[in-house]
Amino acid sequence: MDLSLENNDFLNGFDHLGNHKLSKNSIDIFSLKINANEFNYSTLQDSLIDPLINYSLSRKVRAEYQGKPAALSRKAREKFLDYIRNKGELGELMLYCFLESHLKAPKILSKLELKTSTSHYVNGADGVHFVRLPDGDFQIIFGESKTEIELTTALSHAFKSIYEFKNEINSAGSKKSGLPYEKGLISDHLEKETFSDEEKEFIKNIIYPKRENSFEVDDAFGIFIAYEITIDDNDKRLSNSEFRKKLQFQIKEEISNRLQHIEKKIDEYKLFGHKFYIYIVPFTELTKRRSEIQKEITR
């Protein structure tokens, strides 16, 4: 059974600069479209408005607001704004968009629907998706996003968070999280999504595989990294075509230089059994841009 994907146009705002294969893992490099020697952030903002609704609200809530697009949009923006004030950030929304649009991995449910109060949100993965592999087996993909100035630091923190999540290592007083807890959470809250009985049974079979299933299921991880890139003022004086070529080469070099670091972290945390889908996007003035985009899409 194939549940429908919800976002198809998100990638239009990016150039795909390449893919690296590390063992069975995949690292995809994306750059925002460039206009007049600057990243086109307005296109990114526009491309996030519709996915924001699907990310923030369950299928069940969206069905209740059918025919009321303005009210639906307002409810989604309010929920996302409330969320980022407490725990979340732009990276989680972008991870959702990449998993849906690039990996073709539908979300299982909206984590924002599981908040227990306005000040406490469910801990754990930044998103939960699934993907069907060419051989007919499945992966449940748990998300982790980091938006940090330095690329190496962001990667280190992402793999540390995944290690702690997998091994249920929590800071004092935090709600228990980890793979078993997360799967139980999904199973308990499927009613929040408007899945048919057949779809619910299908998803439960992915979460808790049965002996008679004709497929295998493995846990995988999706990682989104946004980091800050520095662009020399002299480069901004280049022609548009020269600037694009030089900046894209710079981005690819910066990420290629971190491939060994990614392998090191997978080995350090003994995560070799999992597949990783890693998406990396550079931003200029990361903190400022992140704040501006979050403000714009929740207006």
Side-chain angles (χ1 to χ4, degrees):
M1 177 180 301
D2 294 317
L3 299 177
S4 60
L5 295 168
E6 299 179 319
N7 299 294
N8 296 309
D9 300 328
F10 171 72
L11 294 178
N12 292 339
F14 295 88
D15 289 315
H16 188 197
L17 303 188
N19 170 274
H20 292 283
K21 298 292 185 184
L22 291 179
S23 182
K24 59 181 176 292
N25 302 305
S26 176
I27 296 95
D28 282 280
I29 308 168
F30 282 88
S31 169
L32 288 164
K33 289 287 188 182
I34 296 169
N35 185 350
N37 294 4
E38 293 181 344
F39 286 137
N40 193 336
Y41 292 104
S42 61
T43 298
L44 174 60
Q45 289 170 183
D46 291 343
S47 71
L48 288 171
I49 292 173
D50 287 336
L52 175 65
I53 296 173
N54 297 336
Y55 172 76
S56 300
L57 302 176
S58 68
R59 295 170 178 85
K60 188 173 184 178
V61 170
R62 298 203 306 272
E64 292 172 357
Y65 281 82
Q66 191 171 7
K68 300 177 181 179
L72 180 66
S73 177
R74 183 175 64 251
K75 184 174 182 65
R77 284 182 277 115
E78 289 172 351
K79 184 172 285 292
F80 186 72
L81 182 60
D82 189 24
Y83 182 57
I84 60 178
R85 283 172 178 161
N86 286 278
K87 189 263 182 186
E89 59 176 30
L90 180 67
E92 297 177 17
L93 174 59
M94 292 188 66
L95 171 63
Y96 159 79
C97 292
F98 275 115
L99 291 177
E100 286 248 343
S101 59
H102 183 261
L103 191 58
K104 308 300 183 186
K107 77 170 184 178
I108 292 178
L109 54 78
S110 173
K111 293 298 291 294
L112 267 67
E113 288 295 305
L114 307 185
K115 74 184 184 70
T116 56
S117 73
T118 57
S119 61
H120 177 77
Y121 288 79
V122 174
N123 297 316
D126 291 340
V128 185
H129 295 242
F130 75 91
V131 66
R132 183 169 187 165
L133 304 177
D135 62 5
D137 290 338
F138 288 87
Q139 290 172 341
I140 303 178
I141 301 173
F142 298 93
E144 180 64 40
S145 66
K146 296 294 180 188
T147 56
E148 300 191 30
I149 301 298
E150 214 283 309
L151 176 56
T152 303
T153 303
L155 289 165
S156 295
H157 289 168
F159 282 103
K160 183 175 185 287
S161 294
I162 289 170
Y163 167 75
E164 292 175 346
F165 171 71
K166 176 182 177 179
N167 292 281
E168 301 181 67
I169 299 171
N170 306 288
S171 58
S174 66
K175 187 168 182 140
K176 180 183 179 183
S177 64
L179 291 172
Y181 174 80
E182 197 81 4
K183 291 177 181 180
L185 196 68
I186 296 167
S187 180
D188 292 345
H189 289 81
L190 282 178
E191 295 299 327
K192 290 186 178 291
E193 296 285 353
T194 53
F195 294 129
S196 67
D197 290 342
E198 184 184 5
E199 288 169 339
K200 288 175 186 173
E201 186 64 24
F202 167 70
I203 292 172
K204 286 181 179 179
N205 282 344
I206 295 177
I207 300 168
Y208 299 115
K210 295 180 179 178
R211 182 176 57 188
E212 61 268 24
N213 283 356
S214 61
F215 54 82
E216 300 291 339
V217 182
D218 291 292
D219 298 327
F221 292 94
I223 298 176
F224 172 76
I225 300 291
Y227 75 97
E228 182 166 298
I229 190 170
T230 301
I231 302 175
D232 189 277
D233 283 343
N234 289 328
D235 290 344
K236 295 177 183 178
R237 297 183 174 90
L238 296 171
S239 69
N240 297 150
S241 61
E242 289 176 321
F243 178 83
R244 283 189 178 89
K245 290 177 183 177
K246 186 164 186 180
L247 182 59
Q248 290 177 357
F249 177 80
Q250 178 184 342
I251 294 168
K252 288 188 281 188
E253 280 291 292
E254 289 181 351
I255 295 168
S256 294
N257 290 338
R258 269 67 171 200
L259 296 180
Q260 282 190 330
H261 183 73
I262 293 172
E263 290 183 309
K264 177 184 174 183
K265 288 299 169 182
I266 293 172
D267 289 343
E268 177 184 343
Y269 292 123
K270 301 188 187 307
L271 297 168
F272 1 80
H274 301 282
K275 179 161 184 177
F276 292 91
Y277 300 94
I278 303 173
Y279 296 94
I280 305 178
V281 177
F283 283 70
T284 53
E285 300 177 287
L286 176 62
T287 303
K288 174 186 174 184
R289 297 296 183 182
R290 178 178 57 194
S291 177
E292 289 175 346
I293 294 168
Q294 289 179 170
K295 181 179 179 180
E296 184 66 27
I297 65 178
T298 53
R299 289 176 62 179

